[in-house]
Amino acid sequence: MQLVEPRPARPLPIRITPLIDVVFILLVFFMLTSRLLPVGLLELDNRTSGTPVTGGTPLPQLLVGPDGQVSWDGRTLPLAELVAALQAKQVTEVNLATTATTGLGVFTRTLSTLDQVDIAAHWQRQNPGSRQHD
């Protein structure tokens, strides 16, 4: 015979406060350790620095202006005319440069247009203090 009746089993309550504290600490940790990149920059693969210099014809130099016009061979052409001229000369690779005031949207549009017609564009980022050598 039992003198004391056993207590009914009741579920233990889950305390949320320590869980919220841990999640908050993790959030702060990841916010402090993550590297935030500026949204206005576009990372490009730059393969021009490691390639050896070889003989042959040099690649055409294209200069993209802020208005979307591209300078090549002493002429300034709209992008559509430039693509037609490059295809007429059977050019498959070009070196692409931008002026200091060329916007990211103009550069991206030029780069994607050249890519759509299978013209490989190489672009090298210039440091603000460096001069461009021809």
Side-chain angles (χ1 to χ4, degrees), residues 51-121:
T51 56
V53 178
T54 58
T57 60
L59 295 178
Q61 301 288 329
L62 305 180
L63 179 66
V64 181
D67 56 351
Q69 301 278 332
V70 183
S71 298
W72 174 49
D73 251 357
R75 303 178 309 181
T76 302
L77 303 168
L79 189 55
E81 290 180 25
L82 173 78
V83 169
L86 289 172
Q87 287 177 329
K89 291 196 175 199
Q90 297 178 346
V91 174
T92 59
E93 277 187 275
V94 295
N95 286 332
L96 193 61
T98 58
T99 64
T101 57
T102 302
L104 180 62
V106 174
F107 171 73
T108 306
R109 186 172 31 258
T110 305
L111 190 64
S112 61
T113 301
L114 292 172
D115 187 48
Q116 287 174 355
V117 293
D118 294 327
I119 297 175

Side-chain angles (χ1 to χ4, degrees), residues 11-66:
L12 294 174
I14 297 175
R15 297 200 174 136
I16 300 294
T17 306
L19 182 64
I20 292 173
D21 289 344
V22 169
V23 170
F24 179 70
I25 290 171
L26 286 173
L27 178 68
V28 170
F29 172 76
F30 285 114
M31 285 174 56
L32 292 175
T33 59
S34 66
R35 182 175 166 218
L36 299 176
L37 293 176
V39 179
L41 296 179
L42 175 67
E43 291 290 329
L44 297 175
D45 185 17
N46 185 3
R47 297 184 190 137
T48 58
S49 63
T51 56
V53 178
T54 58
T57 60
L59 295 178
Q61 301 288 329
L62 305 180
L63 179 66
V64 181

